Amino acid sequence: MPRLEPGIATRNSPERGAMSKKFLPEVYTEEARRDIHGLYQAWAGSYEAELAENEYKTPGRVAAALKATDTPHDARILDYGCGTGLGGEALVAEGFTLIDGTDISANMLAEAEAKQIYGRLWLADREAPVAIPPAEYAVIAAIGVISPGAAPASYLQVLSAALEPGGRLTFSYNDHALAAEEYMDALADLPSYGAKMIFEEFGEHLVGLGSKSSVYVFEKA
């Protein structure tokens, strides 16, 4: 059974909001960037339905990339910014078995907990969201997390620093990240922190929106 930090909202929380509201158009607005936590709290109950409507392909592509790079199925994986658990589901579908998750949204984590696929889930501190015990994970996956409107580009360096030699960082960049100089600079800087790219693929992200993403796997030297 997943171990979920006490105090996380239940799936029946009134914060789930109206199922009919569409949040994707709001994600990259200035208002959303000022309160990204509030947006994801409100979006939790309808998040998966809205992404399914738009054929969200990136989680499956990230999980397939890990498999294609011969990452062991029993590698301990942290699904960083796990949200409702779509990334975890994709990893399980590719045969990975040891997955923990963390997110800053209690409502998102409540949805993830209900899937019963994580060994441990915890609510990240919004003031220190990338506090990860060094060397605890063989793989850190940040699926749909590092982009304008979500996590800053600097998180790439911090996540990489939490890995031991041989550890892997896998993540995705959507269209917005690929067009942002600071995000591309952070990507280009990863080798200077001892991370070597071993996989890169450009492909579908949100099909319904015509959006693309690049998927990466880096290995720590």
Side-chain angles (χ1 to χ4, degrees), residues 25-131:
E26 297 183 15
V27 172
Y28 302 105
T29 65
E30 285 302 319
E31 182 179 356
R33 291 182 193 188
R34 286 193 295 270
D35 185 18
I36 196 68
H37 172 261
L39 182 142
Y40 281 96
Q41 282 283 89
W43 196 3
S46 60
Y47 180 79
E48 294 194 14
E50 187 170 355
L51 293 187
E53 262 180 38
N54 289 283
E55 297 182 64
Y56 184 35
K57 299 294 188 181
T58 297
R61 291 177 52 224
V62 171
L66 278 181
K67 183 176 181 179
T69 53
D70 296 321
T71 303
H73 283 154
D74 61 353
R76 192 170 181 202
I77 301 174
L78 175 62
D79 185 5
Y80 178 81
C82 66
T84 63
L86 290 175
E89 286 187 316
L91 291 165
V92 168
E94 291 291 356
F96 296 101
T97 58
L98 299 175
I99 309 165
D100 292 344
T102 185
D103 201 278
I104 63 168
S105 167
N107 289 352
M108 287 277 184
L109 282 178
E111 300 288 332
E113 191 273 340
K115 289 182 166 59
Q116 301 290 295
I117 57 175
Y118 292 95
R120 177 182 173 233
L121 287 167
W122 78 89
L123 186 64
D125 182 348
R126 280 187 280 161
E127 300 304 315
V130 286

Side-chain angles (χ1 to χ4, degrees), residues 62 65-66 69 71 137-142 146 156-157 159-161 163-173 183-201 214-221:
V62 171
L66 278 181
T69 53
T71 303
Y137 293 98
V139 178
I140 297 175
I146 302 173
L156 281 185
Q157 178 187 348
L159 294 176
S160 177
L163 294 168
E164 288 283 276
R168 291 180 173 181
L169 173 63
T170 184
F171 58 95
S172 60
Y173 265 14
Y183 285 85
M184 297 309 292
D185 286 347
L187 179 67
D189 283 347
L190 270 180
S192 67
Y193 301 114
K196 176 184 177 182
M197 185 190 295
I198 60 172
F199 185 96
E200 179 182 13
E201 178 195 70
S214 284
V215 165
Y216 307 95
V217 180
F218 279 77
E219 185 169 273
K220 193 79 172 287

